[in-house]
Amino acid sequence: MKKSLKILSLTLALSLTVGVTAGMTVMASASPAPDKTSPAASPAPVAETAAQVYLVPGVGNSLSGTPLTAEETAALHMEGEVFKAGEAGSGLPTPTTTKTDRTNNPFVFNGWWTIVDATVTYFETVPAVTETTYLYADFRASLSQHSDPVAPAGGTATSTPENYMRVVRAETGEVELIPLRVSGTDVSNAEKAGHSGPVQWYNEWFVLQPGDVVSYWFSGLYGSTPMYGPRPRHTPQSCDILLNASGQYGQTGQYMQFYNDDATLLDDYNQSRKYFTANSRGEAPALSYTGPMATQAYIFRIYIQFYDEGGHMTLYMENLSLKLGVEA
């Protein structure tokens, strides 16, 4: 059984770990040489090995059973423990975790998921597959649990996320809303946005394509409904975005470039830029996926934090396609 939630070509990518599919393995069966005194034998048919489903519990999570060896895991280009799932249709196991939120409440297991046709798809039993497939354990703190939209009195439920990236696709001109999840952060001076402690916004699996333009919308930071950020805040007023960089795969400024701003660089090294002019025009501060390394579609994860009452925004993106060796 599966249930799905559209993300990449419609909206979202939940906050989670990453999922990806690989190719099918083919093995040729051996056949003896034909008898020279008899007609040539027909070649033996090529037998295909059954596609395998693997379970990836993730760092800090555990699963009973025997994981693949280090050599087997490396051959799959995976990190951490990987387990073979059972036969198609059999039940999926329930992993455990040592993760807790900032108040020591344990994370909750939400199910096993992967990406199917640009859709986050959850499975309750081992799926029948034609390609090697990885299912990922979804653990989240209570703050990050999914909440279905509530219909206003006399109306219908809205599908607009509370927090999201608004992506204008360069290829089609279509607008997609990719939800951002909220979780606690150890950065003590980050904004709380109505929560009991400092928070960050994140999405751990989404795709950008060359030329896409992205703006960022948040609830609870400037008001109860989604509003774009950053906005002029604090004293003295700030309204800027800092593109953080970390490690080989987290060179945010090499992928994203500033789009509609007042062209004032605050910090050339860290690529921080003011957005007062965009706000004065009533336009959302935006970034475009046009940097020197934005040469093709890649899978990313993103983390966003705010400071100075929402006037200063930090953004970090990590290229999962290059890090994990998978294609978007």
Side-chain angles (χ1 to χ4, degrees), residues 148 155 230 310 328:
D148 292 326

Side-chain angles (χ1 to χ4, degrees), residues 303-323:
Y303 297 94
I304 297 171
Q305 294 173 345
F306 277 93
Y307 307 86
D308 298 337
E309 301 173 3
H312 176 62
M313 170 180 159
T314 63
L315 183 150
Y316 171 75
M317 283 177 29
E318 187 174 35
N319 189 321
L320 296 179
S321 292
L322 296 181
K323 182 177 182 179

